[in-house]
Structure formats: C-alpha cells, structure tokens
Amino acid sequence: MTERPAVYVYRYFFAGEEAGEGRLEVRPEPPGAKATLTAEVNLPLPKTRQRWQTETDAEGFSLYFAERVEGRESRVFTVERLEEEGVVLVSQGKESVALPFVAPYHDPLSLLLALPRLALEPGEVARFPMPGGRVYVERLADLEVNGRMRRHYRLRPGLTLVELEEGLPVRMAQQVQDHVFEAVLQGVEEVKRRRRWV
C-alpha cells in the first residue's frame, strides 16, 4: 500500500444509508511512510470533518499521530514518539503529558497500513501496544466476494472488521450504537502533485 503515492477514496455508510466520504493519501517517505485521512462524516448529528495523520518508521510503527475533529466544537489530539528523550508526548489542546517510551506502538492509521504485511494465519491473533492500551488483531477466515478472495481481520477493542483485497483495505465496518458504520473503497487515484506536510 505504500510503494508509490496514492489516494484511496472511500464512501461511508451508516445503517445502510450514505454517510459521507473519506480520502486516504499514502506516501512512502523512507524509512517509513506518511498518510493522511480526511473524512466528511454525515452521521445523524453531529456532522463532522476529521483529519488523521501518521508518520511511521521502517517497521511500520508510529512516530507521530495527529487527530483533528471539527464539528460542534473542535479538538486536536497528538502522539509523538521522542525516542532520544525516551518518552511519548501525548497532547490534547493545551494539555500535554510525557509517558515513558517502552516499545514501538501503533496508532489507528499506522495499524491500517501495517495489516497487509502481517503474517497471520486464520485463527491467529497478534497484540500490539497503542498509547494508553493495546490492540488485538485476529485473522478470520478468508471471504470470497464477487469471485475474489479477501483477507479478513477483526480488531479489538472496538470490534472493527477489515477486509483486504490484494493488500488494500476495501471494506471496514464497526458497530456504532445499534447500527453498522462502513467504509467501502470506491477507487484509487495517483497523487499528481506533492502536498505540503503540516
């Protein structure tokens, strides 16, 4: 997914109804990658605009993660790995806390980018650290959709299901209250020009 710059366009659905669109731009940036997900989500109130960014190391673990959500109010959350200082700096608004850096970890976007490289057989589970906790990735039985095979994963906590086809996340689904929120890949675009990284 990170061999060359590309933009992955997703359509969102909530309870079977259209609920917005997302654009995931991924760029190889040796030794790792940079990715930005910009999403317009039109759930039944509140309508939000979200922007997630990640920078990864050579193994695909998170070096920097930022989440910005704009809706009724705006909030920004960042996590930065400062290995030389031996800390992970977590910031929300004007508040920051430094946690000891113990081991490489994933953020939500770096984990999505890492899924195609995981060598898990159906039934196997991998555990990865995340700031403030951990995430479990379980390989489920492969699915056949329209004559094509998809690798199928369950991520916990949150019970997110991810389907990969030829290494690309083509469908993601998560339970939200009594309904299912889905992201379905609509297409892949080449990146025509380099955007400034903020």
Side-chain angles (χ1 to χ4, degrees), residues 44-58:
L45 297 180
K47 179 177 179 179
T48 62
R49 177 177 168 82
Q50 303 175 19
R51 181 179 171 91
W52 293 5
Q53 294 175 286
T54 190
E55 296 179 25
T56 68
D57 63 17

Side-chain angles (χ1 to χ4, degrees), residues 10-22 38-50 69-72 176 180-182:
Y10 291 88
R11 183 159 296 152
Y12 299 143
F13 299 89
F14 180 70
E17 301 290 328
E18 287 203 30
E21 183 179 274
T38 305
E40 300 275 350
V41 182
N42 306 317
L43 291 174
L45 297 180
K47 179 177 179 179
T48 62
R49 177 177 168 82
Q50 303 175 19
V69 178
E70 297 172 2
R72 289 185 180 139
V176 178
V180 175
F181 179 79
E182 296 177 273

Side-chain angles (χ1 to χ4, degrees), residues 105-144:
Y105 57 85
H106 276 300
D107 61 58
L109 262 187
S110 72
L111 181 62
L112 184 63
L113 298 181
L115 282 181
R117 301 190 322 190
L118 287 183
L120 291 178
E121 294 297 322
E124 292 184 336
V125 178
R127 179 180 130 175
F128 298 101
M130 288 189 105
R134 65 193 64 81
V135 62
Y136 295 90
V137 178
E138 180 183 3
R139 172 89 183 267
L140 303 175
D142 291 349
L143 300 172
E144 184 176 342

Side-chain angles (χ1 to χ4, degrees), residues 40-177:
E40 300 275 350
V41 182
N42 306 317
L43 291 174
L45 297 180
K47 179 177 179 179
T48 62
R49 177 177 168 82
Q50 303 175 19
R51 181 179 171 91
W52 293 5
Q53 294 175 286
T54 190
E55 296 179 25
T56 68
D57 63 17
E59 286 74 42
F61 290 103
S62 181
L63 293 171
Y64 175 81
F65 174 72
E67 176 188 48
R68 175 184 292 274
V69 178
E70 297 172 2
R72 289 185 180 139
E73 54 187 47
S74 295
R75 70 176 190 273
V76 178
F77 172 76
T78 63
V79 182
E80 187 171 7
R81 190 168 109 195
L82 304 173
E83 241 173 295
E84 289 183 7
E85 290 87 348
V87 299
V88 176
L89 187 63
V90 180
S91 302
Q92 187 162 357
K94 296 178 181 177
E95 302 293 321
S96 294
V97 63
L99 305 172
F101 173 65
V102 178
Y105 57 85
H106 276 300
D107 61 58
L109 262 187
S110 72
L111 181 62
L112 184 63
L113 298 181
L115 282 181
R117 301 190 322 190
L118 287 183
L120 291 178
E121 294 297 322
E124 292 184 336
V125 178
R127 179 180 130 175
F128 298 101
M130 288 189 105
R134 65 193 64 81
V135 62
Y136 295 90
V137 178
E138 180 183 3
R139 172 89 183 267
L140 303 175
D142 291 349
L143 300 172
E144 184 176 342
V145 179
N146 298 325
R148 300 172 67 103
M149 295 306 294
R150 294 182 178 179
R151 283 196 284 163
H152 196 202
Y153 296 91
R154 177 170 37 218
L155 281 53
R156 294 176 286 123
L159 293 180
T160 300
L161 299 175
V162 180
E163 298 173 18
L164 299 183
E165 190 174 295
E166 296 180 0
L168 296 180
V170 294
R171 181 178 177 270
M172 293 166 274
Q174 186 175 39
Q175 189 81 20
V176 178
Q177 297 167 0

